[in-house]
Amino acid sequence: MRKPKPFIVISFILYFSVAICAVFFSWQHYYQSRLNTSQLQLQQFSQHFLTQIDKYAFIPQLLAQNKRLTNTLLEHKNSAQIEVTNRYLEQINQLVNTSDIYLIDQKGNTISASNWKDKATFIGQNFSFRPYFQQAISGQNSQYFALGSMSGLRGYYYSSPIIHAAEIIGVVVVKIQLSTIENNWNDQQNHFVVSDNNHIVMMTDQDSWLYKSLIDLPQSTLLKIQHGRRYLDKQISSLGFIGNLSNQPIEIYINGQQGLYHRYMSVSQYLPKQDLNVRILTPKMLVVWDVVSVLFIFTLMAILLFFIVLFYRQRKIRLLQIERIRAQANQELEFQVLERTAELHTEIHTRIQTENALRQTQDELIQTVKLAVLGQMSASISHELNNPLAAIRSFSDNAQQFLLKNDNEKVQKNLERISELTVRMAKISQQLKHFAKRTSANDLINANVAIVIKSAYDLMQPELKVQGVHVALILPTDPIMAKVNPIALEQVIINTLTNAIHAVSDQEQKHIELELKANQDGIKIDISDNGCGIRSDQLDHLFDPFYTSKQNGLGLGLSISQQIMQSMKGSISAKNKDSGGAKFTLTIPLSK
């Protein structure tokens, strides 16, 4: 059998220790808190009860001074006077919102009442047995609680003597209902009880407690209560509470009922003027539920804390395991790194050699394309050179003839023409030599783009003449500087011009426009022609390697041109013009 881990045992011991302390202190706190709440409710309800009771106490005293009531008692056989008084009392009763107002003579007989219209009118009833009449007829203002002898409903009675010529001739009584006071109680947990001097419940929020005594009463007291007819013929049974009701505060419980559900914490206040006790009863089970809620929350927090600590312990153990595994892995990794490093050195050396070979091959390919372009232009260049050579021969022969004739002036002119022709041939040769020069695409310098375009144009001049193509060269007057490889850019322009010459070969009027312009987005070289344009299925593959629409083409010119432009951080694009023909655009970033 596995033994429990020390961590778990210590956690449970700590939990139960703290839980016991939490239960003890929370019980003390909530017990006192419930008592304080009950005490506050007692003061509020007592004040409310007294306010409602005292609100009507002055009414019978004022009515006792009314001459109309005095005259009615003196002339109680005058039916007209009685009727006027009945209406007056009815009017006053409605005005002050009481239950009943009635006038009693010296013998206890009611001679006038506000309910004179009702079937159960008080007129003619004798209330001499009521303590409120007995006290008032003896000259004292009185307040009294009892069940109505006619209605059987609870009422609170105010009475005042009516004095005429220093003699008490009658009593005026005002009755109110107590249900409005009860309805103001809205606490669903605590209970209130208003009881008389015999602890009989006259007001409460628990209907089953009405007209019952809180404690067991002696038989003699029950007979006295029955004789006084305060509660008419109701049998006064006992609620069976056990406890000294005179103590403050106290704990009481229902006799024979076990468990906390039948135990109450009680606070009370005695109202001497009304001879009544107001009591607030708080079920002790509420304190238990408060403590249980604290214990429940504490348990949840303890469980959460336990799992957090457990999680971090497990995490720490797992991290230690990971560290050990990582240390082993690091050792293995170091060996693998050493092995891999040696392999990488070999791979890097091989890749460098491959890239150098690739770069060399690319440069060779570019150079080959250059030479291919020169080969394509060889016929026109040969023609361009043959004409000066024939002219030089003609001028030299003429010069010999002029020498024989001693015409030195004409000899001088022929020699000048021969010199001009040799300069022209040297210039063509220099352009060819410059174009054929081997360069790297990465050799970038700040150069005037217009000069590069002019050089390419001059180099293409023989071919343009042979093909009969007119070129409109549009160059700005101000220099436009860019970081380019002049020879490589010149090759791209020549490649593009060559494609344009082929495109217009079938046109009667062969026209090409070469325009240089610059804005804030960069430098643009537009080369457009009036040929037949580019088919839509060719546009997407125009710059693919080995893709060509020419019968004997290699499909490398535009592909290499694109690579050259990309090496200068530029681009080349093509589209068809709306007016017919194709337009190639070379884009180069501005020099910073």
Side-chain angles (χ1 to χ4, degrees):
M1 181 177 180
R2 295 180 61 184
K3 294 182 179 180
K5 295 182 179 180
F7 169 71
I8 297 177
V9 174
I10 293 172
S11 299
F12 274 101
I13 293 174
L14 184 62
Y15 164 74
F16 283 113
S17 300
V18 177
I20 291 171
C21 294
V23 168
F24 175 78
F25 287 109
S26 61
W27 178 272
Q28 298 293 330
H29 169 75
Y30 284 111
Y31 190 90
Q32 187 60 44
S33 176
R34 290 287 179 179
L35 281 179
N36 293 340
T37 302
S38 299
Q39 192 68 45
L40 179 62
Q41 287 183 334
L42 176 65
Q43 294 174 3
Q44 293 175 343
F45 184 77
S46 299
Q47 186 63 37
H48 174 70
F49 180 78
L50 290 174
T51 301
Q52 295 296 319
I53 294 298
D54 292 343
K55 185 167 64 174
Y56 299 96
F58 70 94
I59 297 176
Q61 298 175 30
L62 290 176
L63 291 175
Q65 306 299 322
N66 192 288
K67 295 298 183 181
R68 184 176 296 174
L69 300 186
T70 302
N71 295 333
T72 301
L73 287 171
L74 294 175
E75 302 176 16
H76 61 275
K77 293 184 179 180
N78 186 342
S79 59
Q81 181 68 31
I82 294 294
E83 183 176 355
V84 171
T85 303
N86 286 339
R87 295 182 182 277
Y88 174 72
L89 293 179
E90 180 184 17
Q91 205 173 37
I92 296 298
N93 186 63
Q94 293 175 354
L95 184 65
V96 297
N97 195 28
T98 54
S99 176
D100 298 293
I101 302 176
Y102 48 100
L103 186 64
I104 305 176
D105 63 12
Q106 290 177 319
K107 296 181 181 180
N109 295 317
T110 304
I111 62 174
S112 181
S114 61
N115 60 359
W116 61 278
K117 292 180 180 179
D118 299 341
K119 291 183 180 180
T121 180
F122 291 168
I123 296 176
Q125 298 295 323
N126 187 283
F127 296 108
S128 59
F129 67 93
R130 290 296 194 187
Y132 63 78
F133 171 78
Q134 296 171 5
Q135 292 178 7
I137 204 67
S138 64
Q140 299 177 8
N141 294 319
S142 174
Q143 296 182 15
Y144 187 71
F145 165 79
L147 296 181
S149 59
M150 300 293 293
S151 64
L153 301 176
R154 290 174 297 164
Y156 198 81
Y157 299 85
Y158 304 85
S159 62
S160 290
I162 298 177
I163 301 173
H164 177 71
E167 179 184 1
I168 299 175
I169 61 174
V171 174
V172 59
V173 181
V174 175
K175 176 186 177 182
I176 65 170
Q177 298 289 349
L178 296 179
S179 58
T180 57
I181 302 177
E182 288 178 333
N183 293 336
N184 288 327
W185 182 264
N186 55 10
D187 195 321
Q188 301 297 322
Q189 296 180 337
N190 299 341
H191 309 302
F192 80 91
V193 170
V194 180
S195 59
D196 62 12
N197 53 3
N198 291 315
H199 302 297
I200 298 175
V201 179
M202 53 173 282
M203 287 179 62
T204 181
D205 62 328
Q206 300 292 306
D207 294 340
S208 60
W209 290 3
L210 279 174
Y211 318 127
K212 295 181 181 179
S213 61
L214 296 175
I215 58 176
D216 295 336
L217 298 177
Q219 189 65 31
S220 58
T221 303
L222 292 174
L223 290 174
K224 184 178 179 181
I225 294 170
Q226 187 175 7
H227 179 72
R229 301 197 64 199
R230 189 175 203 173
Y231 300 98
L232 301 180
D233 297 329
K234 290 188 178 295
Q235 297 296 321
I236 308 300
S237 59
S238 174
L239 292 174
F241 282 100
I242 303 298
N244 190 349
L245 299 183
S246 60
N247 289 346
Q248 175 76 1
I250 61 169
E251 286 191 16
I252 60 177
Y253 62 93
I254 299 177
N255 185 27
Q257 301 290 339
Q258 301 297 325
L260 292 172
Y261 283 101
H262 304 285
R263 291 180 179 270
Y264 298 89
M265 297 180 294
S266 173
V267 292
S268 62
Q269 180 178 349
Y270 177 66
L271 307 179
K273 185 177 180 180
Q274 290 78 19
D275 193 22
L276 298 173
N277 280 290
V278 179
R279 190 178 302 276
I280 301 297
L281 299 177
T282 301
K284 200 172 180 180
M285 196 62 195
L286 295 177
V287 181
V288 175
W289 286 120
D290 291 335
V291 174
V292 168
S293 64
V294 170
L295 185 60
F296 178 73
I297 294 173
F298 171 75
T299 302
L300 288 179
M301 293 177 63
I303 292 172
L304 179 62
L305 181 62
F306 173 78
F307 280 110
I308 290 174
V309 173
L310 186 63
F311 169 76
Y312 277 103
R313 280 174 55 85
Q314 295 294 332
R315 186 172 179 269
K316 186 176 180 180
I317 293 171
R318 187 167 296 175
L319 287 175
L320 290 175
Q321 293 174 347
I322 292 172
E323 284 297 326
R324 286 197 295 268
I325 295 171
R326 187 175 294 169
Q328 295 175 359
N330 285 339
Q331 291 180 354
E332 295 178 1
L333 184 60
E334 287 178 1
F335 291 114
Q336 293 178 0
V337 167
L338 292 174
E339 293 177 357
R340 184 58 181 162
T341 302
E343 295 175 0
L344 285 175
H345 281 302
T346 305
E347 290 180 5
I348 290 171
H349 180 69
T350 304
R351 179 168 295 180
I352 290 173
Q353 290 179 338
T354 303
E355 289 179 354
N356 290 335
L358 180 62
R359 191 175 295 110
Q360 184 177 359
T361 302
Q362 187 176 8
D363 292 340
E364 291 289 342
L365 182 59
I366 293 173
Q367 187 66 20
T368 301
V369 172
K370 280 186 185 181
L371 297 177
V373 171
L374 288 175
Q376 292 174 2
M377 294 190 300
S378 61
S380 57
I381 293 172
S382 176
H383 178 75
E384 190 70 15
L385 291 175
N386 283 335
N387 288 335
L389 285 173
I392 289 172
R393 182 176 179 180
S394 176
F395 286 136
S396 64
D397 290 341
N398 290 337
Q400 289 177 359
Q401 296 296 324
F402 289 139
L403 280 174
L404 294 175
K405 296 178 180 181
N406 291 322
D407 192 350
N408 294 328
E409 184 179 354
K410 291 184 178 180
V411 171
Q412 180 67 28
K413 288 182 180 179
N414 284 355
L415 291 176
E416 288 175 359
R417 290 179 179 177
I418 290 171
S419 177
E420 291 174 359
L421 290 171
T422 55
V423 170
R424 178 181 172 188
M425 293 174 65
K427 184 178 180 182
I428 296 172
S429 177
Q430 184 65 29
Q431 289 176 339
L432 292 172
K433 181 180 178 182
H434 178 75
F435 180 70
K437 182 181 177 181
R438 185 188 299 273
T439 61
S440 175
N442 296 321
D443 297 337
L444 304 180
I445 61 172
N446 277 323
N448 189 343
V449 179
I451 294 176
V452 177
I453 294 175
K454 189 66 171 63
S455 176
Y457 173 75
D458 290 341
L459 192 59
M460 289 294 296
Q461 193 65 29
E463 181 71 14
L464 294 170
K465 287 182 180 180
V466 171
Q467 299 295 334
V469 178
H470 174 261
V471 175
L473 192 62
I474 305 173
L475 299 176
T477 55
D478 296 331
I480 298 177
M481 305 302 294
K483 199 168 186 179
V484 297
N485 184 323
I487 297 176
L489 178 59
E490 186 178 314
Q491 179 183 352
V492 174
I493 296 172
I494 289 174
N495 287 345
T496 311
L497 279 174
T498 302
N499 287 337
I501 291 170
H502 292 159
V504 299
S505 61
D506 295 333
Q507 303 296 323
E508 291 184 7
Q509 297 292 329
K510 302 174 183 180
H511 182 76
I512 296 175
E513 184 179 278
L514 196 157
E515 180 182 8
L516 172 63
K517 54 187 176 181
N519 54 33
Q520 59 183 3
D521 296 329
I523 301 169
K524 289 187 177 181
I525 303 172
D526 292 333
I527 301 172
S528 55
D529 59 65
N530 64 339
C532 59
I534 305 169
R535 296 203 312 268
S536 58
D537 61 325
Q538 293 177 342
L539 278 172
D540 295 335
H541 306 284
L542 204 59
F543 298 97
D544 293 347
F546 306 108
Y547 181 83
T548 180
S549 59
K550 301 174 185 177
Q551 185 175 1
N552 298 316
L554 296 176
L556 293 175
L558 290 177
S559 175
I560 291 176
S561 296
Q562 186 181 53
Q563 294 179 25
I564 291 173
M565 294 305 298
Q566 289 174 352
S567 69
M568 294 185 289
K569 299 181 180 179
S571 63
I572 180 171
S573 60
K575 66 177 182 178
N576 288 317
K577 298 189 301 180
D578 294 338
S579 59
K583 180 180 180 180
F584 283 80
T585 301
L586 311 182
T587 304
I588 308 169
L590 286 170
S591 179
K592 296 182 180 179

